[in-house]
Amino acid sequence: MDREDQLIRRSHGEPFVALAHRHLRRRDVLRLGVGSLATGALAWAAPRGSARPDGFEPLAWRADDRVAVPPGYEVDVVVRWGDPLSAAAPAFDPAGPSAAAQALQFGYNCDFVGFLPLPRNGFASDRGLLCVSSEYTSPHMMWPEYRADADQVAADLAAHGLNVVEVVRQPEGWRYVPDSALNRRVTGDTPVTIAGPAAGHALMRTSYDPSGTTVRGTLNNCSGGLTPWRTWLQAEENFNQYFTADPKATGVAAEMARRYGIGRGRPDYPAHHPRFDLSQEPNEANCFGWMVELDPYDPTAKPIKRTALGRFKHEAASLRLTDEGRVAVYMGDDQGFEYVYKFVSEGRFNPELGAANGDLLNEGVLYVARYTADGGGEWLPLVFGHGPLTAENGFGSQAEVLIRTREAADLLGATPMDRPEDVEASPLTGRIYIACTNNTRRAPAQAGGPNPRGPNRYGHIIELEEAAGDAGATTFRWTLLLTAGPPGQSDYNGHADASPLSCPDNLAFDRQGNLWITTDGQTKTVAANDGVYRVPLKGDQRGNPKQFLSGVPGGEISGPCFTPDQTTFFCAIQHPGVDVRGASWQTPGSRFPDYDPAVPPRPSVIAVRRTDGGQVGE
Ligand code: FEO
Ligand code: CA
Ligand code: CA
């Protein structure tokens, strides 16, 4: 039994943090403390039920309109698009929301799901706050007729953003608390503070806030992460799609628009909100594409864009402490041929400071990854004045390096990846897992190293190990954990009995150190519903996926997480019934979760429990 196994075994009988403090060195306490909340390794008591030698009976690919789980498990629908989040909120209307209603209801297309125990600083697994993002909308699925009038566009904007929802586990299962004072919406219109090196820069100034320190809203909130100080970091991903470019733009503005893909965005937003028309509000788009922090326990807390973490199509964030107690944040830029990043704070984490630790994210070094074909690599610093990031190359300050992160990373020679979605650090080993979901534009001649296939239809997962296991290291080693796809077009570490998967997206870890994977794209690539898979990372079963859950047609699975005691697994069913040919409000590809012909499908968060109350997956 190695040290990792000892930790896992001991943690079943006593509080994991207390045990850690008794047995481990400072660096290990810090490291384990960070990831443990996010992944469910904190526990006050051993759960009921017992470990089963085979874990669970794996599913096969399915295409039916039901969420499927293995025998011995059950599913609760916890919260759905349109569910009221306050006593003042109207009930869901199948004919579509008004702007006023949507601002008080659960948003559309839930992606990230994080569980924070209640009360604050506790370790409860039966009561907590779900932190859920609403990434984007599908207007043709939300209204029987989308006319793009002023109220519909305002409702669409309100269907984006963040949701904080109190949830409780009762004998019959999980439910949300509709009138909790802790429930909260942050939408595409909520005032958000801009902090860090880019705050106040001339490129961030708008007519709404000429000081460049506040912006209206957060948009395209894909996945995210929880911090060691129990706040929520939330990515802004495909922010470009809301803006129309200024056809007269030249110089920096034109190059930045090209590099971020800002061109002809959806026309309904600028039609009703001139700030989305860059010919009228040239800097508005510069205020998007950041990482946003929110303190979910404080309903009055203002969301904050942490600009030191860079500006790109942020997928998610995974935090870990360095050996010196600094905060490392791992992040991916989800687009074909984009990069993997790491931020390391200047200051050190102090548990006594609570949510005030968030200001650590204002000062530090942002790095981008360059891989070598022989399994090595280094983190290249994006620091103004360092290497090519100088005035001669068009960068006038650190703020400009961050606002134009992609261009800065290009100059450094970062390695273009196959759409890096989730980048997650294992709380038990510190190794980093990178889900490259796919990249059909990679040519055969471009295949090799950490992106071994061209075209890459099915995706792969990279395992990265920092030098000396320190999240503060500037060099690393990497290897491939698996290449996904159907049998014959994949490699699951040689396991012929693997459950095949395609297009890995979000990642999580259980207390045993296994990796959990959700997929986004099986409908299109292998004609199966998207799913959830568990993959051991050590021993003779390393790299052998088993399918745990199957979703519904036309919807991806995202946001996997566990309660601290691992007796509940949460995930989101995003855009159910949408990604199928000809889908509309009238003819959706799924009727999940209401299965009422008069009600469109509704993106929802579900909870999966073992009927005997034991640990999920064991
Ligand atoms: Fe929103 Fe990259 O998935
Ligand atoms: Ca994703
Ligand atoms: Ca996705």
Side-chain angles (χ1 to χ4, degrees), residues 414-436:
T415 301
M417 307 295 290
D418 286 349
R419 289 190 57 199
E421 292 244 35
D422 222 336
V423 179
E424 290 283 330
S426 164
L428 286 179
T429 66
R431 293 189 194 110
I432 319 303
Y433 295 84
I434 303 167
C436 291

Side-chain angles (χ1 to χ4, degrees), residues 111 135 222-223 237 314-316 334 419-422 437 504-506 518-520 556-559 574:
D111 193 302
E135 183 180 14
C222 192
S223 195
E237 195 187 18
H314 277 288
E315 169 73 20
D334 178 12
R419 289 190 57 199
E421 292 244 35
D422 222 336
T437 192
D505 189 334
N506 294 127
T518 68
T519 68
D520 174 14
E556 69 178 276
I557 318 286
S558 62
Q574 194 183 168

Side-chain angles (χ1 to χ4, degrees), residues 135 219-220 222-223 234-242 256-263 288-291 309-316 331-336 338-339 341 403 405-406 419-422 441:
E135 183 180 14
L219 287 170
N220 216 267
C222 192
S223 195
Q234 177 58 54
E236 292 186 317
E237 195 187 18
N238 297 300
F239 65 94
N240 57 314
Q241 68 187 43
Y242 304 92
M256 193 161 46
R258 185 194 69 77
R259 199 58 188 81
Y260 287 112
I262 297 168
F288 294 85
W290 302 103
M291 196 63 82
L309 277 57
R311 176 170 174 248
F312 43 90
K313 295 183 181 177
H314 277 288
E315 169 73 20
M331 302 169 285
D333 183 349
D334 178 12
Q335 190 166 323
E338 293 300 336
Y339 310 130
Y341 296 85
I403 293 166
T405 300
R406 281 186 168 181
R419 289 190 57 199
E421 292 244 35
D422 222 336
R441 292 189 296 124

Side-chain angles (χ1 to χ4, degrees), residues 179-194:
D179 58 353
S180 169
L182 294 169
N183 290 351
R184 185 171 181 191
R185 286 299 323 280
V186 169
T187 74
D189 256 336
T190 307
V192 178
T193 296
I194 299 169

Side-chain angles (χ1 to χ4, degrees), residues 529-572:
N529 296 340
D530 278 305
V532 177
Y533 297 79
R534 184 194 64 184
V535 186
L537 297 175
K538 57 184 295 190
D540 62 2
Q541 292 302 303
R542 174 180 158 88
N544 187 6
K546 298 294 179 196
Q547 185 167 0
F548 174 73
L549 182 147
S550 173
V552 299
E556 69 178 276
I557 318 286
S558 62
C561 73
F562 295 95
T563 51
D565 67 1
Q566 201 175 309
T567 59
T568 297
F569 172 85
F570 292 105
C571 65

Side-chain angles (χ1 to χ4, degrees), residues 64 74 90 104 144 163 206 273 286 294 298 302 324 356-357 365-368 371 390 430 446 455 463 505 530 559-560:
D64 55 335
E74 56 193 319
L104 300 172
N163 309 267
T206 61
H273 301 269
N286 301 342
L294 182 72
D298 177 2
K302 203 168 170 187
E324 294 181 327
N357 280 290
V365 176
L366 181 67
Y367 299 89
V368 66
Y371 302 72
T390 59
Q446 296 172 304
E463 181 183 70
D505 189 334
D530 278 305

